[in-house]
Amino acid sequence: MRNPMTRVSRRGRVTIAVLVVVFLLFTLFDRVVGAWADYLWFSEVKYPQVFTGVLTTRIWMFAIFGVAVGLVIAANLYLAYRTRPLLRPHSAEQHALDRYRLFLLPHMTGWIVLVAGLIGLFSGLSAQGHWQDWMLFSNSTPFGQTDPQFHVDLSFYVFEYPFWRYLLGVAFTAVVFSLIGGLALHYLFGGVRLQGAGERMTAAARAHLTTLVAVFVLLKAAAYFLDRRGLLLDKFPTQDLYGAGYTNINALLPAKEILAWISIVVAIAILVFSNAFMRNLVWPGLALGLLALSAVAVGGIYPAAVQSFTVKPSQLQKEAPYFKYAIDATREAYGLKDVQVTPYAADNTSPPQSLTNGTDPTVNNIRLLDPAVVGDTYTQQQQVRGFYEFNPKLDIDRYSLTDPKTGKSRTQDYVVGVREIRYDQLQQNNWQNRHSVYTHGYGFVAAPANQIVCGGQPFYVSGFLSDNTKPDDQGSEQCASDEDQIKVTHPQIYYGEQMGDVYAIVGKGKTADRNAEFDRPTGGSGDQDQYSTYDGSGGVDVNTFWRRLLYASYFRETNFLLSGVLNDHSKVLYVRDPETRVRNIAPFLTLDSDPYPAVVDGKIQWIIDGYTTSATYPYAQKIDWNTAIQDSSTGGRVFPEPRQDVNYLRNSVKATVDAYTGEVKLYAFDESDPVLKTWNKAFGGKLVQPRSAISPSLMDHLRYPEDQFKVQRDLLSRFHVTSPEGFFSGQDFWEVPKDPANATADQPPYYLVAQLPGQNDARFQLTAAMAPRKRGNLAALMSASYVNGQPRFEVLELPANTAIQGPNQTHSSMTSIADARRELTQFSSQNSDVFYGNLLSLPVANGMLYVEPIYLKAKNETAFPRLQKVLVAYGPKYMAYADDLASGLDQLVKQLTGQAPVPQTDNGNTDQGTTGKPGTQGTPQVQEAIAAMNKAIADLKAAQQSGDFEAYGKALKALQDAIARYEEATKAAGASPSPSGSPSNTTSAGASPSPSVQPSTG
């Protein structure tokens, strides 16, 4: 009699079959439609090899790994079934299993195929996701450098190690599922019994299962051997460093090798004792127990003991060589090996005449426009219609323009942006308007970064919609250029950052003489609006019924079939975001988060920096990319980005996207990068153009990428210390100061044109200030730029005992000026918002000049930020709160000569680095005493760390003398010693100064 569980009606089988077919049809239909549309898109951008290369690799990896795993599992299941005992002993256990055997036996082959097929399917799906690992493995390019431990070329770790790891994981998966499935079938059919007299396992079952166990143990041996190399990617147990330390090399490394050989012996023992001699599981079980015990003792207890009793008591002495490996590898992996460090005393506290005489290139190019603030200004002044919008965070670039008044050409930085369409602000946001009428933005808008006109507005030099849309002059002051100074052949923006997933249907209309696309308003009534027709090379033809059917399915929009908008000339533009276009074409690149527009040879080009990265560079510091690039300019994310581990970074690619045609070009910027070479080889060697293809006009607009700089800045805060001893103590570590305008986030770096100390001329560079860790003083200034097309990273390092104020201290000092505090309070109370721009830290005349613009914005929808005031400071004493930069600099110089008073703060103090009675802290005698105390404290720390008691005594005596001089100087100035007017360092172990003089930590 047939088991009821096996009965399925004919109607039920047909219903199930129909549902399966419908499910597969819809699933496959969507995938086929998506693949077809993707292929047409890749063909349009002329990179079909990327689509076909990735697709074929994923398909064959899915097929090979899926079939391989499925066959291994099916073979083992079938073997377990074929070797089942023909006669099973009678027992309650076997009787209970009869119902399951009756269910499976009629279709046993089908069940085996089903189980193996499902596991193979998921294995194949997992494998196709590792297509990048295979491409790197199969196209590996030597680094020409070896690791310091095994002396193996670094290409093994970067290109081969991840794939070997994955391959080993697949093998473990196949063996474990085979073992579980085989054991289940042997038990089900009586080959393995838990009850009854006699042998609990048949010879066939024992041979099968012990062989699988032996294979598993052999795979474990292979994993131990591979783990030896993986130790170079571990993290130090007690330091925030990566690589193999003393314990790993001297305890864990030999332990892994011993365990590997033990595993091989155990695997042989399992096979021999289970099947050749004793034919029982006692000795194999003991062998497995020995392996487990060895793993605990040799691989766990012994390394822990070495770490506790050998390393911890003298960690620096034991770990010093490995610290050095990690420091050197990190600097090499992140392109920091050739950083130029220059001492900068910054000891001049008196404003020089060069601040006002126009001879200092840095002062002449001080940037006042903050691109993170004036985005609303551009939008309100340059939009005309409410559907236009600029990116909230504009960009900085440099141009060499001819001054129409003087006729001279001058290179300077400009705040730039493109006028894009904000689709959700269209008044009639129907399908036709959204996709075929309002298809593009218009204009590349630029303003000099150092020029403010007409009550705090930028001086626009390009991107005008028409003469009627220019800002009106105010009296005799001109508010905008007479004509476009940056000429553009196609000002229409069809590809931009604000496009999102909105597609555009373009091309000639049915009537050839009628333009259907809104081009731009001309400032008058609606009938004066201009219309145009797209004639670029971008887009995919939708001139046939089948193409329209394809895109109707792809976009799930029936208007592709019903609307009269489409005709024989129509094309559809999609994937219009420049960053997404580059990411699709080069999925192996990590892209900079800030694409920027530039006019190159009359065309608006989006320039995007592409990074090649790895997470398996031995001994290099590992970071989370998405965390490392965060600061106050990036803003918080509603949903955090997934972690992206990186320990190797190269800005190897410069990508451009034409804003009119959408054409994408990839240029090799770092042709020596082995990772880029490997990827280029993987896609036929023609994916990335050589560096020589970069035109001079494009090279003029390439800039040091911001995300790379942020990562390098963060790493250099520690890895500027290159000695193991200094790194271990951590006394000289720096940190990124918080943004004065946003105390919850790091201060962003800033682009400017400047000539820093040691540089031959003014150059466009990215700069940032650094502070000593957990202090507010200034520790260093970092700068990155291109010199003759090559990256150059420079550091101006201030003395360790410096008391020079950092950005936050200076911001606090400047905003405490009595006039500034009073007016800023009034502005806030008068229904206005106050915005602080970038606080620039500028090394000028062997001192530090600080400049911070202040913007005001009325609290209404049509208002925009206007630059109203400028804060400037030179040294700790001289500060000004002025209407413009020129006035502020002039005040600084006049304060030095006595022509202008040193400003009072809101607490009556003239020196914002201190508190106390007016004027006491600014006298030369007081400042000299403070500097002496700082030097004495630094010497005291150094002597204490080195154990030099003689030097310690001398430093303590010098500190006591300096404190005495400080007290005398303050008394001579007519004030009692102030708690905060003192040195910026702290001491320890009884070396602190008297209670009346406390160190200031800023």
Side-chain angles (χ1 to χ4, degrees):
M1 186 177 193
R2 295 183 65 186
N3 191 310
M5 296 178 66
T6 63
R7 297 177 184 173
V8 179
S9 67
R10 184 172 181 274
R11 178 179 296 178
R13 290 196 296 270
V14 170
T15 301
I16 292 173
V18 170
L19 291 175
V20 170
V21 169
V22 170
F23 173 76
L24 292 176
L25 181 63
F26 275 97
T27 303
L28 292 176
F29 179 76
D30 274 349
R31 292 194 175 273
V32 169
V33 166
W36 186 8
D38 288 345
Y39 177 75
L40 292 175
W41 184 87
F42 276 97
S43 298
E44 176 228 326
V45 295
K46 299 179 176 60
Y47 290 96
Q49 73 271 29
V50 176
F51 176 82
T52 56
V54 173
L55 182 63
T56 54
T57 300
R58 297 179 76 155
I59 289 175
W60 76 252
M61 287 190 72
F62 170 83
I64 290 178
F65 281 87
V67 170
V69 172
L71 284 177
V72 169
I73 293 173
N76 280 280
L77 293 178
Y78 182 73
L79 182 61
Y81 171 68
R82 290 292 296 173
T83 57
R84 69 191 186 281
L86 298 179
L87 297 176
R88 290 178 294 276
H90 295 285
S91 66
E93 178 187 29
Q94 293 300 314
H95 181 71
L97 295 174
D98 280 342
R99 68 181 69 183
Y100 301 105
R101 286 193 284 265
L102 288 174
F103 177 71
L104 293 176
L105 278 172
H107 306 287
M108 195 64 207
T109 302
W111 286 113
I112 291 175
V113 170
L114 177 63
V115 172
L118 284 175
I119 298 175
L121 174 65
F122 287 110
S123 298
L125 290 174
S126 173
Q128 60 89 28
H130 289 264
W131 62 271
Q132 292 195 9
D133 291 341
W134 166 251
M135 281 191 161
L136 290 175
F137 178 84
S138 59
N139 296 279
S140 176
T141 302
F143 269 70
Q145 298 172 278
T146 59
D147 73 84
Q149 180 60 42
F150 301 108
H151 305 293
V152 173
D153 193 274
L154 299 181
S155 59
F156 170 82
Y157 300 93
V158 175
F159 303 134
E160 300 171 26
Y161 177 82
F163 187 75
W164 284 120
R165 269 291 175 202
Y166 173 70
L167 205 59
L168 200 58
V170 172
F172 271 118
T173 299
V175 171
V176 168
F177 276 107
S178 296
L179 182 60
I180 294 172
L183 180 62
L185 285 185
H186 281 302
Y187 174 71
L188 184 64
F189 289 106
V192 174
R193 294 181 292 117
L194 302 179
Q195 300 176 3
E199 292 287 341
R200 298 301 174 92
M201 186 178 295
T202 64
R206 183 171 61 248
H208 182 203
L209 295 177
T210 54
T211 299
L212 288 174
V213 173
V215 172
F216 179 88
V217 175
L218 287 174
L219 289 174
K220 192 62 180 172
Y224 281 131
F225 279 118
L226 196 58
D227 284 345
R228 297 172 69 250
R229 300 287 175 82
L231 290 176
L232 273 59
L233 307 174
D234 277 356
K235 189 174 183 180
F236 278 63
T238 58
Q239 291 284 325
D240 186 19
L241 289 172
Y242 284 80
Y246 181 90
T247 301
N248 280 16
I249 296 301
N250 294 279
L252 203 51
L253 180 61
K256 294 286 186 182
E257 188 164 356
I258 291 171
L259 289 172
W261 289 111
I262 291 176
S263 298
I264 294 174
V265 172
V266 168
I268 295 173
I270 290 173
L271 291 174
V272 172
F273 287 107
S274 299
N275 302 289
F277 294 109
M278 299 180 181
R279 297 187 179 182
N280 61 48
L281 300 180
V282 176
W283 287 102
L286 290 175
L288 285 174
L290 173 64
L291 178 60
L293 183 63
S294 300
V296 173
V298 179
I301 296 177
Y302 173 62
V306 170
Q307 179 67 28
S308 298
F309 301 111
T310 302
V311 177
K312 281 188 177 180
S314 53
Q315 186 176 354
L316 177 58
Q317 290 73 20
K318 297 295 184 182
E319 300 276 33
Y322 307 104
F323 284 1
K324 186 62 174 173
Y325 292 159
I327 294 170
D328 292 344
T330 298
R331 291 173 66 92
E332 175 67 35
Y334 289 94
L336 298 172
K337 183 180 66 173
D338 298 323
V339 170
Q340 299 179 11
V341 179
T342 303
Y344 185 66
D347 53 3
N348 180 26
T349 59
S350 301
Q353 290 292 332
S354 60
L355 293 183
T356 57
N357 61 17
T359 59
D360 193 303
T362 300
V363 176
N364 293 342
N365 290 286
I366 289 177
R367 177 163 64 81
L368 296 175
L369 293 182
D370 186 343
V373 176
V374 298
D376 285 346
T377 304
Y378 275 50
T379 295
Q380 290 294 336
Q381 288 197 298
Q382 292 289 322
Q383 66 175 352
V384 180
R385 300 287 172 84
F387 50 76
Y388 282 129
E389 184 179 51
F390 289 84
N391 197 319
K393 181 178 181 294
L394 299 177
D395 294 290
I396 295 285
D397 198 4
R398 72 284 196 196
Y399 289 85
S400 296
L401 303 182
T402 301
D403 190 327
K405 296 180 179 179
T406 64
K408 295 181 179 180
S409 178
R410 176 169 174 257
T411 299
Q412 68 178 92
D413 47 349
Y414 287 76
V415 176
V416 301
V418 293
R419 188 185 291 106
E420 300 187 53
I421 282 187
R422 184 175 174 179
Y423 284 98
D424 60 351
Q425 294 298 313
L426 293 176
Q427 292 185 2
Q428 298 294 325
N429 199 355
N430 53 57
W431 181 85
Q432 186 169 350
N433 277 342
R434 186 178 179 86
H435 297 289
S436 68
V437 177
Y438 296 95
T439 58
H440 60 273
Y442 188 97
F444 177 88
V445 180
N450 64 346
Q451 189 172 354
I452 300 298
V453 297
C454 302
Q457 303 177 24
F459 181 75
Y460 300 104
V461 300
S462 70
F464 307 113
L465 292 169
S466 70
D467 290 338
N468 295 329
T469 61
K470 293 181 181 180
D472 295 331
D473 294 345
Q474 296 185 8
S476 60
E477 188 174 12
Q478 187 177 3
C479 297
S481 173
D482 292 329
E483 60 180 13
D484 271 350
Q485 296 183 28
I486 303 177
K487 303 295 185 182
V488 179
T489 54
H490 287 290
Q492 293 83 4
I493 312 296
Y494 281 89
Y495 297 87
E497 293 181 284
Q498 306 297 314
M499 300 300 182
D501 57 356
V502 180
Y503 57 87
I505 299 172
V506 298
K508 293 180 180 179
K510 292 182 178 179
T511 304
D513 59 349
R514 181 169 176 263
N515 294 317
E517 300 175 49
F518 176 84
D519 193 42
R520 61 190 172 105
T522 57
S525 58
D527 59 357
Q528 292 180 332
D529 292 341
Q530 290 192 8
Y531 286 77
S532 65
T533 297
Y534 181 73
D535 62 355
S537 60
V540 178
D541 290 332
V542 282
N543 51 5
T544 66
F545 171 78
W546 294 110
R547 287 284 179 91
R548 295 173 199 168
L549 179 62
L550 165 67
Y551 285 105
S553 301
Y554 184 70
F555 292 114
R556 290 174 171 78
E557 179 53 68
T558 57
N559 281 318
F560 275 91
L561 299 174
L562 304 177
S563 176
V565 167
L566 291 96
N567 57 65
D568 293 342
H569 305 290
S570 296
K571 296 196 292 185
V572 59
L573 315 180
Y574 56 107
V575 189
R576 299 167 68 194
D577 173 45
E579 188 174 345
T580 306
R581 290 177 78 83
V582 175
R583 182 175 289 110
N584 287 353
I585 291 169
F588 54 87
L589 291 177
T590 298
L591 300 182
D592 194 272
S593 59
D594 187 24
Y596 62 99
V599 176
V600 181
D601 296 327
K603 300 178 181 178
I604 302 175
Q605 300 280 346
W606 290 98
I607 301 177
I608 305 173
D609 287 281
Y611 309 108
T612 46
T613 62
S614 175
T616 53
Y617 192 100
Y619 274 104
Q621 188 74 9
K622 188 174 293 185
I623 63 166
D624 175 18
W625 175 266
N626 293 309
T627 300
I629 64 175
Q630 293 298 305
D631 58 29
S632 65
S633 68
T634 57
R637 290 189 170 107
V638 177
F639 300 103
E641 293 288 325
R643 182 178 178 88
Q644 181 184 353
D645 286 331
V646 168
N647 70 355
Y648 173 87
L649 173 67
R650 289 290 185 274
N651 177 212
S652 53
V653 172
K654 300 288 187 179
T656 63
V657 178
D658 192 296
Y660 186 72
T661 66
E663 181 183 22
V664 180
K665 292 184 179 180
L666 306 178
Y667 300 98
F669 191 70
D670 184 355
E671 293 183 303
S672 65
D673 177 31
V675 181
L676 179 61
K677 291 179 181 179
T678 297
W679 280 117
N680 203 31
K681 189 196 306 182
F683 288 107
K686 296 182 179 180
L687 178 65
V688 182
Q689 298 184 45
R691 182 186 171 100
S692 58
I694 301 178
S695 66
S697 54
L698 175 58
M699 186 67 76
D700 288 341
H701 291 282
L702 299 183
R703 67 186 194 185
Y704 202 93
E706 194 168 352
D707 285 353
Q708 181 186 24
F709 183 85
K710 292 177 184 178
V711 171
Q712 292 175 324
R713 174 184 65 172
D714 185 59
L715 289 166
L716 270 180
S717 66
R718 292 193 301 144
F719 288 92
H720 72 279
V721 179
T722 57
S723 69
E725 295 78 12
F727 202 94
F728 182 73
S729 70
Q731 293 295 322
D732 295 325
F733 287 173
W734 303 332
E735 66 182 6
V736 180
K738 295 301 180 183
D739 189 351
N742 180 7
T744 63
D746 291 341
Q747 184 183 32
Y750 38 85
Y751 289 101
L752 48 79
V753 174
Q755 182 178 349
L756 303 185
Q759 297 178 354
N760 297 325
D761 50 19
R763 69 175 75 136
F764 185 70
Q765 49 198 317
L766 189 57
T767 62
M770 302 295 291
R773 182 163 290 187
K774 297 183 179 179
R775 288 172 50 203
N777 294 347
L778 189 66
L781 291 166
M782 294 183 181
S783 166
S785 59
Y786 291 142
V787 179
N788 297 323
Q790 298 300 321
R792 181 174 296 180
F793 204 111
E794 300 169 86
V795 176
L796 294 177
E797 185 173 8
L798 276 68
N801 62 347
T802 183
I804 301 300
Q805 290 184 340
N808 282 282
Q809 293 173 324
T810 303
H811 172 78
S812 178
S813 298
M814 293 189 299
T815 54
S816 295
I817 297 174
D819 290 343
R821 177 63 64 192
R822 182 180 62 256
E823 288 196 8
L824 292 175
T825 302
Q826 290 176 350
F827 292 148
S828 299
S829 64
Q830 292 174 354
N831 210 28
S832 297
D833 290 322
V834 178
F835 296 92
Y836 293 98
N838 285 137
L839 195 159
L840 307 181
S841 305
L842 305 171
V844 174
N846 204 33
M848 289 302 303
L849 172 66
Y850 295 93
V851 178
E852 185 174 23
I854 298 177
Y855 299 84
L856 296 183
K857 178 184 177 183
K859 292 182 178 179
N860 61 69
E861 293 183 358
T862 60
F864 55 86
R866 294 173 181 264
L867 194 147
Q868 293 295 315
K869 295 290 183 177
V870 178
L871 292 167
V872 293
Y874 195 94
K877 178 180 178 181
Y878 300 99
M879 293 170 288
Y881 171 70
D883 293 331
D884 53 57
L885 179 62
S887 300
L889 297 177
D890 187 58
Q891 287 184 40
L892 292 183
V893 176
K894 288 182 178 179
Q895 289 171 21
L896 178 65
T897 60
Q899 296 174 280
V902 176
Q904 298 292 313
T905 66
D906 58 358
N907 62 359
N909 205 4
T910 59
D911 180 5
Q912 297 309 315
T914 63
T915 58
K917 295 185 178 181
T920 61
Q921 305 301 333
T923 64
Q925 293 80 5
V926 171
Q927 294 299 326
E928 181 183 354
I930 291 175
M933 283 191 287
N934 283 327
K935 183 179 186 306
I937 291 174
D939 293 342
L940 203 63
K941 282 187 175 182
Q944 190 177 28
Q945 292 171 6
S946 63
D948 188 340
F949 293 103
E950 182 179 357
Y952 185 90
K954 291 181 179 179
L956 187 59
K957 178 66 168 58
L959 178 60
Q960 292 170 348
D961 292 343
I963 291 174
R965 292 202 305 273
Y966 173 80
E967 292 174 346
E968 292 176 1
T970 54
K971 288 178 181 178
S976 59
S978 170
S980 62
S982 47
S984 57
N985 293 295
T986 59
T987 58
S988 59
S992 59
S994 65
S996 63
V997 184
Q998 293 294 330
S1000 169
T1001 60

